[in-house]
Amino acid sequence: MSQIEVKEVTFAYPLREGVGMRAVKNLSFSVEKGEFVALVGMNGSGKSTLAKLLNGLYTPTEGEILIDGISTSKDENVFEIRKRVGMVFQNPDNQTVATIVEDDVAFGPENIGLPREEIISRVRSALDAVSMTEFADRAVSKLSGGQKQRVAIAGVLAMRPEILILDEATSMLDPIGRREVLKVAKELNEQGITVINITHNMEEAAFAKRVLAMRKGRLAIDGTPKEVFASGLLEACGLKLPPVMQLAKALADRGFEMPSSVPDEEELAEEIWRQLK
Amino acid sequence: MAAIEIKNLNFVYSAGTPFEKHALKDINLTIEEGSFVGVVGATGSGKSTLIQHLNGLIKLQDKKHSSVFVNGMDASKRATLKKLRFEVGMVFQYPEYQLFADTVAKDIAFGPKNMKLSKEEIDARVARALEVVGLDYDKIASRSPFDLSGGEKRRVAIAGVIAMQPKILVLDEPVAGLDPIGREEILALIKKLHEEVSPTVILVSHNMDDIAVLADRIVAISDGRLVADCSPKEFFADRQLVKDIGLDLPMAARITDALVQKGVPLSADIVSLTELADALSALKEGAHV
Amino acid sequence: MFRDVAFGQYYPTGSPVHKLDPRTKLLLTVLFVITIFFIKSYFGFMLTLVVLLAIVIVSRLPIVSVLKSVRGILLIVLISAAINLFVIKDGEVLAHWKIFTITKNGVHTAIKLALRLVLVISGASLLPLTTTPVELADGLEKLMIPLKIIKVPVRDIAMIMSIALRFVPTLFEETQKIMNAQKARGAAIDHGNIFKRIGAMMPVLIPLFVNSFRRADELSFAMDARCYNATDRRTKMKRLKFGWGDAVAALFLLSYTVVILLDRYYFKTVGIDIDLMIFGELL
C-alpha cells in the first residue's frame, strides 16, 4: 500500500444545481512515503484543486483518495487526514491566525486539544526545525515573506504530519525567501516527511525527485525531472523548460552534443567543459 | 531635460519611534528619456520608497536639501502633482488586486477620466490600451474584471495604467506569481510598451535573468543607498558587489563562473543565455580549427 | 509601511506596565475611566493628571504617543466645551453680549468637561499602547467566561476578535497600497469636500472588499487544514497569570479611586474644601 493513493478521482466545483465544472478528471497516481514530488502545471490546470483533495478540504466527486489507507471521503476521517497531511498555502498573509509567531504555530495543536506542556514542546521543536526559534515572540506582520512561510511550515509541523504539501508556497517570495522555504522542505524530506511541492517554477521542479505535470485536470507526465524535461511535453502543458535546459538547447543548436536532459547548472558546466577540452 | 532627476533624497519612516527606519540615504539619480532602467536590491532595501517618490505618493521630507524632478516638474509642488501623476504610470505588485469597476472598459477608463479627457478620447484610449496588452476589445470590454483569469486581470490592470499614455512607466515585479507562459507574455508586453507607449521604463525586479536581458541600465539599492548605476554588464561583472548586496547573478553568469573555474576563457560580462551560447560556440569553433 | 495610527498602536517598551496581566489592565482601565466621571473638584483633576503621568512614565511611553490619541478628539472637546460655556446661564455673570452670556458656572463646567474628556481618552489609550491585540483578546475571553453560563459563544467571539485584530495591520497596509495605486491613476482621494471624497473612495473600497473576501476564503481553508473545530476541548498554550505587579497596580489605582470618591462625597461634608485651599481667590 502506498502512502498516498489517488484512484480515478474526478472533482467538479458545483456551479448550480446538478451542474459542475470539472477541475480534476479521472486522476490516478500514488506516492510512496518519503518521496519529494513536484506537481506542476499552468494556472487553472487543476493542481491546487488536487492539493485540497489530498487533505480533505475537498472530497472527490468520483473515485477515492487514500492516505495511509484512510479514505478522505468519510466525514469521520477528516481530522485524522488533516493531521497527517499538512498544507502551506500561497499567500503568507492569509494563513496566519495569530499576531505572534509562537501563538500561530500553537494554533493547530490547540485545535486538536493537546495538553499544554505538549503544545509548548511541539511549538519549540517546530520553530527549531524551520530555524525561527529566535522569532518566537515577534509579530508575524513584521517578518519577511520567507520567514512568514517558514512560520506557516512550523504551524504544520507542530501537528507532526507525515506529508507536507506546499501549494505554490514560494510563488509570492523573493529569491532569498524561495531558497529558505525550499531548504526547509528538503531538510524535512530528509527526515522522512513526504513533500509535494506544487509550483510553476521549473527550477523548483528540477529540484524534486519526481515531477507530475497536470494539464486541463489530467495527469500529462509523471517521471523524474530528467525524463519530464526530455519528454518534449512540457510546452503542451503550458510550461517551459527550466533556464538551464534552455541553455542546453541553445548549445545543441550551435553544434554541441547535449544530453536530452540536464538537471542542474553544475552538470551542464561539466558537460560543456568536457566538450571544449 | 532628463526624464527624472533626483537630488540628495533621504527618507525616514516613523521618525522618533521604536520603528524608525532610514529607508533612503542621499540618493542622487538622473534618468534620461528613452532609457530602460532596472532597479535591483534586496527586499527592504528602499526600492519601493524610491519609486513612490517619482510621482509624489511619498512626499519629500527635506525640501531644502533634496528634490525630485520629473520631466522638469517638481514632485513636491501640489499644483503640478496631478499632471505629474499622469506622466508617470505606476504598475504596482499584483496590480489585479486594485481592479474595481464593474466592466473592464470602465476600469481602464478610470485614469483617462481623471485626466478630464473628452469622451471620444477616453473611448479611443481604452480601445488602444486593450489592443496593446493583447486583449480583444469586443470579447472583454464589457465583462466584469473579476471574472477574468489571473493573467487577463493583470493585463487589464496594466492597460488601466498605459491608457494614460504615461511618458514614464514604472513596473514593480510585474510578473510575480504568473506561470511560465504568463511571465513570458508580460515580459514581451513590457518590451513593446517601451517601444510604443512609454519611452522611459523603470522595472523593479528580483529576477536577474529578466533584468539583465531587458534593461540597458541598472540602478542598485542596498540599505537605502545607491550602490551602483551602470550597464547590466558592468554591474554583474562586479561579482563581489552583487553578492554583498544579497542579489543573485543571472544564470548565464553563474555558469560562466563555473566554466572559468575549470579554465575556460570566458569574459565576466556575459549576462544572457544567448551571449553565453555564442561565446561557447566560438570557443568550440576555435578549438576545432 | 508604518503610519502613526491615531489610537491604539501598540508601543513596545518592555516596561512593567506592558508585562501586567491583560485582565488587570482591562479592569483597571475601566475603573480609571469610571473614576474620572466621579471627579468633582480641580484637585481631583490634578490628582488624575499626576496618576496618568506616573503611569506614562512607568510605561516608558513618550508623552507624544498619548497626546496623539487626544488630538483626534480635540475638535469634539472644544465644541462641547463651547456649548457648555454658552448654554449654562445660572451663576455670576462674567460677560454679556447680545444673546450670549458667560457665567462663572459656565466657565467651570466647560473647563471640567474638557478636562474630563481629555483625561478619559488619554487614560483609555494607555491600554492599547501597552497591550498587544492578542493579549487583549485573551484577556477579554477570560473575563467573559462567566457569560458561557448564559450560552454566549465566548470562544468563537474571542477567535473572531483575535483574527480581526491580527488583520488590522494587513488591511491597513493593503488600503495604503490600493490608495497609492488609484492616486497614481489620478484619483482625487486627498482633496475635495467630504462627499467628493467618499465618491472617490469607491475605487479603494471595492477592491478592499473583494480582496478581503478572498483573504477570508483562503484563511478559512488554512484554518480548516490545521484542524480548526476538531474538538470541543480546544486547549491553550498560553496561560494568563496574575503576579505581584498586578497587585501593586490594582492597589495603586484603587487608592486613587478612593481619594476621588472621598473628595466627591466626604470632604465637603466634614468641611474640607481642597480646591479652596489650593486655588483660593482664583475661583
Side-chain angles (χ1 to χ4, degrees), chain A residues 86-100:
Chain A
M87 253 180 110
V88 176
F89 296 85
Q90 179 178 26
N91 190 333
D93 286 324
N94 296 351
Q95 53 187 322
T96 34
V97 272
T99 306
I100 303 295

mmCIF file with all atom_site columns, all heavy atoms in Angstrom, chain A residues 86-100:
data_model
loop_
_atom_site.group_PDB
_atom_site.id
_atom_site.type_symbol
_atom_site.label_atom_id
_atom_site.label_alt_id
_atom_site.label_comp_id
_atom_site.label_asym_id
_atom_site.label_entity_id
_atom_site.label_seq_id
_atom_site.pdbx_PDB_ins_code
_atom_site.Cartn_x
_atom_site.Cartn_y
_atom_site.Cartn_z
_atom_site.occupancy
_atom_site.B_iso_or_equiv
_atom_site.pdbx_formal_charge
_atom_site.auth_seq_id
_atom_site.auth_comp_id
_atom_site.auth_asym_id
_atom_site.auth_atom_id
_atom_site.pdbx_PDB_model_num
ATOM 1   N N   . GLY A 1 86  ? -0.213 18.011 6.051  1.00 0.00 ? 86  GLY A N   1
ATOM 2   C CA  . GLY A 1 86  ? -0.156 19.440 6.355  1.00 0.00 ? 86  GLY A CA  1
ATOM 3   C C   . GLY A 1 86  ? -0.051 20.248 5.084  1.00 0.00 ? 86  GLY A C   1
ATOM 4   O O   . GLY A 1 86  ? 0.543  19.803 4.109  1.00 0.00 ? 86  GLY A O   1
ATOM 5   N N   . MET A 1 87  ? -0.655 21.430 5.113  1.00 0.00 ? 87  MET A N   1
ATOM 6   C CA  . MET A 1 87  ? -0.630 22.252 3.909  1.00 0.00 ? 87  MET A CA  1
ATOM 7   C C   . MET A 1 87  ? -0.140 23.656 4.188  1.00 0.00 ? 87  MET A C   1
ATOM 8   O O   . MET A 1 87  ? -0.540 24.283 5.158  1.00 0.00 ? 87  MET A O   1
ATOM 9   C CB  . MET A 1 87  ? -2.040 22.349 3.346  1.00 0.00 ? 87  MET A CB  1
ATOM 10  C CG  . MET A 1 87  ? -2.214 21.522 2.099  1.00 0.00 ? 87  MET A CG  1
ATOM 11  S SD  . MET A 1 87  ? -3.873 21.688 1.495  1.00 0.00 ? 87  MET A SD  1
ATOM 12  C CE  . MET A 1 87  ? -3.535 22.632 0.053  1.00 0.00 ? 87  MET A CE  1
ATOM 13  N N   . VAL A 1 88  ? 0.718  24.143 3.299  1.00 0.00 ? 88  VAL A N   1
ATOM 14  C CA  . VAL A 1 88  ? 1.139  25.543 3.359  1.00 0.00 ? 88  VAL A CA  1
ATOM 15  C C   . VAL A 1 88  ? 0.666  26.201 2.068  1.00 0.00 ? 88  VAL A C   1
ATOM 16  O O   . VAL A 1 88  ? 0.877  25.668 0.985  1.00 0.00 ? 88  VAL A O   1
ATOM 17  C CB  . VAL A 1 88  ? 2.669  25.660 3.494  1.00 0.00 ? 88  VAL A CB  1
ATOM 18  C CG1 . VAL A 1 88  ? 3.109  27.113 3.450  1.00 0.00 ? 88  VAL A CG1 1
ATOM 19  C CG2 . VAL A 1 88  ? 3.121  25.007 4.786  1.00 0.00 ? 88  VAL A CG2 1
ATOM 20  N N   . PHE A 1 89  ? -0.005 27.349 2.218  1.00 0.00 ? 89  PHE A N   1
ATOM 21  C CA  . PHE A 1 89  ? -0.631 27.973 1.063  1.00 0.00 ? 89  PHE A CA  1
ATOM 22  C C   . PHE A 1 89  ? 0.236  29.089 0.470  1.00 0.00 ? 89  PHE A C   1
ATOM 23  O O   . PHE A 1 89  ? 1.291  29.435 1.008  1.00 0.00 ? 89  PHE A O   1
ATOM 24  C CB  . PHE A 1 89  ? -2.003 28.524 1.449  1.00 0.00 ? 89  PHE A CB  1
ATOM 25  C CG  . PHE A 1 89  ? -2.971 27.452 1.871  1.00 0.00 ? 89  PHE A CG  1
ATOM 26  C CD1 . PHE A 1 89  ? -2.996 26.988 3.181  1.00 0.00 ? 89  PHE A CD1 1
ATOM 27  C CD2 . PHE A 1 89  ? -3.843 26.885 0.956  1.00 0.00 ? 89  PHE A CD2 1
ATOM 28  C CE1 . PHE A 1 89  ? -3.869 25.997 3.575  1.00 0.00 ? 89  PHE A CE1 1
ATOM 29  C CE2 . PHE A 1 89  ? -4.721 25.898 1.345  1.00 0.00 ? 89  PHE A CE2 1
ATOM 30  C CZ  . PHE A 1 89  ? -4.736 25.451 2.664  1.00 0.00 ? 89  PHE A CZ  1
ATOM 31  N N   . GLN A 1 90  ? -0.295 29.652 -0.607 1.00 0.00 ? 90  GLN A N   1
ATOM 32  C CA  . GLN A 1 90  ? 0.476  30.618 -1.390 1.00 0.00 ? 90  GLN A CA  1
ATOM 33  C C   . GLN A 1 90  ? 0.747  31.930 -0.652 1.00 0.00 ? 90  GLN A C   1
ATOM 34  O O   . GLN A 1 90  ? 1.882  32.372 -0.545 1.00 0.00 ? 90  GLN A O   1
ATOM 35  C CB  . GLN A 1 90  ? -0.307 30.900 -2.679 1.00 0.00 ? 90  GLN A CB  1
ATOM 36  C CG  . GLN A 1 90  ? 0.354  31.910 -3.583 1.00 0.00 ? 90  GLN A CG  1
ATOM 37  C CD  . GLN A 1 90  ? -0.434 32.109 -4.869 1.00 0.00 ? 90  GLN A CD  1
ATOM 38  O OE1 . GLN A 1 90  ? -1.637 31.900 -4.928 1.00 0.00 ? 90  GLN A OE1 1
ATOM 39  N NE2 . GLN A 1 90  ? 0.255  32.504 -5.902 1.00 0.00 ? 90  GLN A NE2 1
ATOM 40  N N   . ASN A 1 91  ? -0.317 32.547 -0.139 1.00 0.00 ? 91  ASN A N   1
ATOM 41  C CA  . ASN A 1 91  ? -0.163 33.889 0.397  1.00 0.00 ? 91  ASN A CA  1
ATOM 42  C C   . ASN A 1 91  ? 0.170  33.853 1.892  1.00 0.00 ? 91  ASN A C   1
ATOM 43  O O   . ASN A 1 91  ? -0.644 33.456 2.708  1.00 0.00 ? 91  ASN A O   1
ATOM 44  C CB  . ASN A 1 91  ? -1.462 34.675 0.166  1.00 0.00 ? 91  ASN A CB  1
ATOM 45  C CG  . ASN A 1 91  ? -1.289 36.139 0.469  1.00 0.00 ? 91  ASN A CG  1
ATOM 46  O OD1 . ASN A 1 91  ? -0.454 36.524 1.281  1.00 0.00 ? 91  ASN A OD1 1
ATOM 47  N ND2 . ASN A 1 91  ? -2.075 36.969 -0.186 1.00 0.00 ? 91  ASN A ND2 1
ATOM 48  N N   . PRO A 1 92  ? 1.385  34.264 2.246  1.00 0.00 ? 92  PRO A N   1
ATOM 49  C CA  . PRO A 1 92  ? 1.798  34.181 3.646  1.00 0.00 ? 92  PRO A CA  1
ATOM 50  C C   . PRO A 1 92  ? 0.874  34.974 4.571  1.00 0.00 ? 92  PRO A C   1
ATOM 51  O O   . PRO A 1 92  ? 0.704  34.621 5.738  1.00 0.00 ? 92  PRO A O   1
ATOM 52  C CB  . PRO A 1 92  ? 3.199  34.791 3.673  1.00 0.00 ? 92  PRO A CB  1
ATOM 53  C CG  . PRO A 1 92  ? 3.583  35.092 2.277  1.00 0.00 ? 92  PRO A CG  1
ATOM 54  C CD  . PRO A 1 92  ? 2.395  34.899 1.390  1.00 0.00 ? 92  PRO A CD  1
ATOM 55  N N   . ASP A 1 93  ? 0.263  36.043 4.042  1.00 0.00 ? 93  ASP A N   1
ATOM 56  C CA  . ASP A 1 93  ? -0.562 36.892 4.903  1.00 0.00 ? 93  ASP A CA  1
ATOM 57  C C   . ASP A 1 93  ? -1.936 36.300 5.184  1.00 0.00 ? 93  ASP A C   1
ATOM 58  O O   . ASP A 1 93  ? -2.629 36.756 6.083  1.00 0.00 ? 93  ASP A O   1
ATOM 59  C CB  . ASP A 1 93  ? -0.749 38.266 4.261  1.00 0.00 ? 93  ASP A CB  1
ATOM 60  C CG  . ASP A 1 93  ? 0.523  39.083 4.355  1.00 0.00 ? 93  ASP A CG  1
ATOM 61  O OD1 . ASP A 1 93  ? 1.217  38.953 5.374  1.00 0.00 ? 93  ASP A OD1 1
ATOM 62  O OD2 . ASP A 1 93  ? 0.828  39.817 3.407  1.00 0.00 ? 93  ASP A OD2 1
ATOM 63  N N   . ASN A 1 94  ? -2.347 35.319 4.395  1.00 0.00 ? 94  ASN A N   1
ATOM 64  C CA  . ASN A 1 94  ? -3.705 34.813 4.557  1.00 0.00 ? 94  ASN A CA  1
ATOM 65  C C   . ASN A 1 94  ? -3.769 33.472 5.258  1.00 0.00 ? 94  ASN A C   1
ATOM 66  O O   . ASN A 1 94  ? -4.765 32.776 5.182  1.00 0.00 ? 94  ASN A O   1
ATOM 67  C CB  . ASN A 1 94  ? -4.397 34.700 3.195  1.00 0.00 ? 94  ASN A CB  1
ATOM 68  C CG  . ASN A 1 94  ? -4.548 36.056 2.550  1.00 0.00 ? 94  ASN A CG  1
ATOM 69  O OD1 . ASN A 1 94  ? -4.295 37.070 3.169  1.00 0.00 ? 94  ASN A OD1 1
ATOM 70  N ND2 . ASN A 1 94  ? -4.957 36.073 1.297  1.00 0.00 ? 94  ASN A ND2 1
ATOM 71  N N   . GLN A 1 95  ? -2.698 33.046 5.902  1.00 0.00 ? 95  GLN A N   1
ATOM 72  C CA  . GLN A 1 95  ? -2.770 31.757 6.607  1.00 0.00 ? 95  GLN A CA  1
ATOM 73  C C   . GLN A 1 95  ? -2.286 31.827 8.037  1.00 0.00 ? 95  GLN A C   1
ATOM 74  O O   . GLN A 1 95  ? -2.286 30.817 8.723  1.00 0.00 ? 95  GLN A O   1
ATOM 75  C CB  . GLN A 1 95  ? -2.027 30.678 5.832  1.00 0.00 ? 95  GLN A CB  1
ATOM 76  C CG  . GLN A 1 95  ? -0.610 31.029 5.480  1.00 0.00 ? 95  GLN A CG  1
ATOM 77  C CD  . GLN A 1 95  ? 0.007  29.992 4.568  1.00 0.00 ? 95  GLN A CD  1
ATOM 78  O OE1 . GLN A 1 95  ? -0.224 28.800 4.715  1.00 0.00 ? 95  GLN A OE1 1
ATOM 79  N NE2 . GLN A 1 95  ? 0.793  30.433 3.613  1.00 0.00 ? 95  GLN A NE2 1
ATOM 80  N N   . THR A 1 96  ? -1.891 32.990 8.495  1.00 0.00 ? 96  THR A N   1
ATOM 81  C CA  . THR A 1 96  ? -1.569 33.104 9.910  1.00 0.00 ? 96  THR A CA  1
ATOM 82  C C   . THR A 1 96  ? -2.800 33.613 10.645 1.00 0.00 ? 96  THR A C   1
ATOM 83  O O   . THR A 1 96  ? -3.422 34.577 10.221 1.00 0.00 ? 96  THR A O   1
ATOM 84  C CB  . THR A 1 96  ? -0.402 34.073 10.160 1.00 0.00 ? 96  THR A CB  1
ATOM 85  O OG1 . THR A 1 96  ? -0.470 35.105 9.201  1.00 0.00 ? 96  THR A OG1 1
ATOM 86  C CG2 . THR A 1 96  ? 0.920  33.386 10.068 1.00 0.00 ? 96  THR A CG2 1
ATOM 87  N N   . VAL A 1 97  ? -3.130 32.941 11.740 1.00 0.00 ? 97  VAL A N   1
ATOM 88  C CA  . VAL A 1 97  ? -4.312 33.325 12.509 1.00 0.00 ? 97  VAL A CA  1
ATOM 89  C C   . VAL A 1 97  ? -3.975 34.223 13.677 1.00 0.00 ? 97  VAL A C   1
ATOM 90  O O   . VAL A 1 97  ? -4.802 34.977 14.143 1.00 0.00 ? 97  VAL A O   1
ATOM 91  C CB  . VAL A 1 97  ? -5.065 32.096 13.048 1.00 0.00 ? 97  VAL A CB  1
ATOM 92  C CG1 . VAL A 1 97  ? -6.055 31.613 12.054 1.00 0.00 ? 97  VAL A CG1 1
ATOM 93  C CG2 . VAL A 1 97  ? -4.114 31.007 13.433 1.00 0.00 ? 97  VAL A CG2 1
ATOM 94  N N   . ALA A 1 98  ? -2.733 34.110 14.155 1.00 0.00 ? 98  ALA A N   1
ATOM 95  C CA  . ALA A 1 98  ? -2.381 34.861 15.358 1.00 0.00 ? 98  ALA A CA  1
ATOM 96  C C   . ALA A 1 98  ? -1.402 35.975 15.019 1.00 0.00 ? 98  ALA A C   1
ATOM 97  O O   . ALA A 1 98  ? -0.759 35.956 13.988 1.00 0.00 ? 98  ALA A O   1
ATOM 98  C CB  . ALA A 1 98  ? -1.772 33.929 16.396 1.00 0.00 ? 98  ALA A CB  1
ATOM 99  N N   . THR A 1 99  ? -1.308 36.939 15.921 1.00 0.00 ? 99  THR A N   1
ATOM 100 C CA  . THR A 1 99  ? -0.413 38.069 15.687 1.00 0.00 ? 99  THR A CA  1
ATOM 101 C C   . THR A 1 99  ? 1.031  37.704 15.994 1.00 0.00 ? 99  THR A C   1
ATOM 102 O O   . THR A 1 99  ? 1.944  38.174 15.341 1.00 0.00 ? 99  THR A O   1
ATOM 103 C CB  . THR A 1 99  ? -0.857 39.256 16.571 1.00 0.00 ? 99  THR A CB  1
ATOM 104 O OG1 . THR A 1 99  ? -2.243 39.497 16.317 1.00 0.00 ? 99  THR A OG1 1
ATOM 105 C CG2 . THR A 1 99  ? -0.080 40.505 16.254 1.00 0.00 ? 99  THR A CG2 1
ATOM 106 N N   . ILE A 1 100 ? 1.219  36.846 16.983 1.00 0.00 ? 100 ILE A N   1
ATOM 107 C CA  . ILE A 1 100 ? 2.568  36.499 17.422 1.00 0.00 ? 100 ILE A CA  1
ATOM 108 C C   . ILE A 1 100 ? 2.956  35.121 16.877 1.00 0.00 ? 100 ILE A C   1
ATOM 109 O O   . ILE A 1 100 ? 2.132  34.203 16.838 1.00 0.00 ? 100 ILE A O   1
ATOM 110 C CB  . ILE A 1 100 ? 2.637  36.479 18.973 1.00 0.00 ? 100 ILE A CB  1
ATOM 111 C CG1 . ILE A 1 100 ? 2.203  37.838 19.541 1.00 0.00 ? 100 ILE A CG1 1
ATOM 112 C CG2 . ILE A 1 100 ? 4.034  36.099 19.465 1.00 0.00 ? 100 ILE A CG2 1
ATOM 113 C CD1 . ILE A 1 100 ? 3.101  38.997 19.206 1.00 0.00 ? 100 ILE A CD1 1
#
